[in-house]
Structures are given as structure tokens and as C-alpha cells.
Amino acid sequence: MTMNDVADALATTRKISKAEARAMVVDVLDAIAASAAKGEVSLAGFGKFSVTNRPARAGRNPRTGEPMFIAASRGIRFRPAKAFKDRVNA
């Protein structure tokens, strides 16, 4: 499912234009991303988004095998809620 598919479903369900629905989807995703950057986002019945810190480490270039340095970075982790997992597995 793509963002456009979500917007189309929202437009059909709420009887609004596709442009309005797409704007709503973009706003919700922007709010989740902004909040996740500050800490943890928890959506009841759906799951939790949390930020993880990856330390700097040594690695290898897969093409040449040459050692290289991989800088520290932040990643995002999603843990689905039990209700979400139950619905997917139904």
C-alpha cells in the first residue's frame, strides 16, 4: 500500500477530495516523524516508534574488502501493538 492508496481510502471513507486526504496523510506522517525525532511515539492499537542510536564502528567495503569507518547514526524502530499483530494474523 502506498501513500496514495491510503489517501484514496481516506477520501472514500470520509467523503473528501483526494487532495485533502493526501494533505491529511502527509500531515500525520510529518507529525509522527517530528515526534519520533524527539523521542518515542506510541499509537494505541497500532504500535510504537522509537529512535535507536548506532555507535560509530569499523566496517568493510563489500566491493573491495577495504576497511572503512562507519559514522554514528540514528535509526528508527517500530514495535507493533498486540492488537495490530492480532489483526494481521487473523
Side-chain angles (χ1 to χ4, degrees):
M1 179 173 244
T2 66
M3 191 182 316
N4 285 333
D5 294 336
V6 174
D8 289 346
L10 182 62
T12 302
T13 303
R14 297 291 174 188
K15 295 179 179 47
I16 58 176
S17 73
K18 289 183 182 181
E20 289 175 318
R22 182 164 171 79
M24 287 178 170
V25 171
V26 168
D27 289 344
V28 168
L29 295 177
D30 286 346
I32 290 172
S35 295
K38 295 176 187 172
E40 188 175 275
V41 176
S42 181
L43 302 171
F46 187 69
K48 285 184 183 179
F49 295 93
S50 57
V51 175
T52 59
N53 292 314
R54 291 188 211 123
R57 62 197 187 279
R60 284 200 180 275
N61 182 328
R63 183 172 287 175
T64 64
E66 182 179 322
M68 60 185 285
F69 177 76
I70 301 171
S73 64
R74 293 172 57 166
I76 190 83
R77 181 177 197 176
F78 175 72
R79 292 186 195 155
K82 183 180 182 320
F84 183 69
K85 287 192 274 189
D86 290 347
R87 190 163 184 183
V88 169
N89 290 321

